[in-house]
Amino acid sequence: MTSDRLLGILTILLRQGRATAPELAARFEVSRRTINRDIDRLCQAGIPVESRAGYGGGFSIREGYRLPENLLTAEEMEAIFAGVQGLDSVAQAAHAPSLRDKLAPPEEDWISIDLGACGDEALAQRFAQIRAAIRERHVLEIRYLYANGDSVRRVEPHRLVYRWGGWYLAAFCRLRGDWRLFRLGRIRALEGAQERFARRPVPEAMLLPDPNAPLYPLAGRLNPQCRHYALEEGAQVEEGPDGWLRVRLDFANPEARLRWALRFGDDLEVTEPESLRQEIARRAETLLRRTKGT
């Protein structure tokens, strides 16, 4: 735990430039005395941490310092670089280029990550607002879009999570009295409140795949020209006797399964499950009526 905290303190100082002992103690839920001991350990390891008292003071790392290459393993350094690139693509953080400069770069630049939503500035702004609320433990009031409309919720934000190809907020919902995952793209508005909250332990099931969660399978016949779309989603693909492909694929929820099936139009014939076939037929009839204006 101590080594993880030391790496966390080092990352914060590299990223923010400066942090006070009370801020670090609150962040890692330890005493100020423990933080001071941790700073001493960093200095003993050869990292030039400077301390300044008074207003605007705190701990900082000497300007121009770069992490020595032997401080972290190559795998650890590459993991940090990947994280910096991924978060910078979403949060558009001004500190990210500076942080990359302070890190000793890996020998080979083998990865480039862009998790942004096609330059969606609104998403980047929400990401930054939520990140600040998590750090400062401020309650958020969000207007969230559901299939049947929207709803205003007061939530305690705890974690930003990347799952199922999108960013989610793991938060304790005051209305439901339970944990919920809110997709960032569906948060239409948010406002920070002055009220602060005490951190709760985030359920593991919200952060890791649940091995007992039900899967939603799809089986069908696919135009061979769309083979690459099926393979990139991890589908099982076999050649059919009629020249079309036989595909099978599991989804985490029925909405994602339906969206995936509809994207192919007449290039996909769903054979199972029957409920999905009926839903596709219903939507096709609705589209036909609207097209004809009846």
Side-chain angles (χ1 to χ4, degrees), residues 221-239:
R221 297 172 60 250
L222 182 68
N223 188 325
Q225 294 182 353
C226 301
R227 176 195 295 268
H228 56 294
Y229 291 119
L231 291 175
E232 72 183 12
E233 292 289 342
Q236 300 177 27
V237 179
E238 298 178 356
E239 300 285 347

Side-chain angles (χ1 to χ4, degrees), residues 267-286:
D267 285 325
L268 173 68
E269 178 193 353
V270 173
T271 55
E272 296 177 16
E274 181 61 27
S275 60
L276 179 58
R277 288 172 53 86
Q278 293 176 2
E279 177 61 19
I280 292 174
R282 185 188 70 79
R283 296 204 174 206
E285 291 173 359
T286 300

Side-chain angles (χ1 to χ4, degrees), residues 15 154 194-195 202 247 277:
R15 184 184 63 201
R154 288 179 71 86
Q194 294 301 316
E195 180 185 0
V202 182
V247 296
R277 288 172 53 86

Side-chain angles (χ1 to χ4, degrees), residues 110-127:
W110 60 273
I111 186 170
S112 179
I113 301 176
D114 184 3
L115 299 176
C118 301
D120 187 347
E121 293 185 5
L123 177 62
Q125 184 178 14
R126 285 193 293 271
F127 193 98

Side-chain angles (χ1 to χ4, degrees), residues 65-166:
Y65 174 78
R66 292 181 63 197
L67 287 181
E69 297 182 11
N70 60 356
L71 183 64
L72 300 172
T73 66
E75 291 78 9
E76 289 170 336
M77 190 62 70
E78 288 176 346
I80 292 176
F81 258 77
V84 170
Q85 290 186 44
L87 289 176
D88 185 35
S89 73
V90 177
Q92 299 178 353
H95 61 256
S98 174
L99 176 55
R100 287 194 296 267
D101 290 342
K102 292 176 181 177
L103 294 170
E107 292 183 3
E108 295 184 14
D109 189 4
W110 60 273
I111 186 170
S112 179
I113 301 176
D114 184 3
L115 299 176
C118 301
D120 187 347
E121 293 185 5
L123 177 62
Q125 184 178 14
R126 285 193 293 271
F127 193 98
Q129 289 176 288
I130 292 171
R131 184 178 58 182
I134 293 173
R135 231 177 14 233
E136 298 165 8
R137 305 186 187 185
H138 281 170
V139 173
L140 284 175
E141 185 170 283
I142 64 173
R143 182 163 64 85
Y144 193 70
L145 184 64
Y146 294 92
N148 299 322
D150 56 15
S151 172
V152 175
R153 303 286 184 93
R154 288 179 71 86
V155 302
E156 300 171 5
H158 278 70
R159 192 78 63 89
L160 283 161
V161 186
Y162 190 78
R163 295 186 67 175
W164 308 307

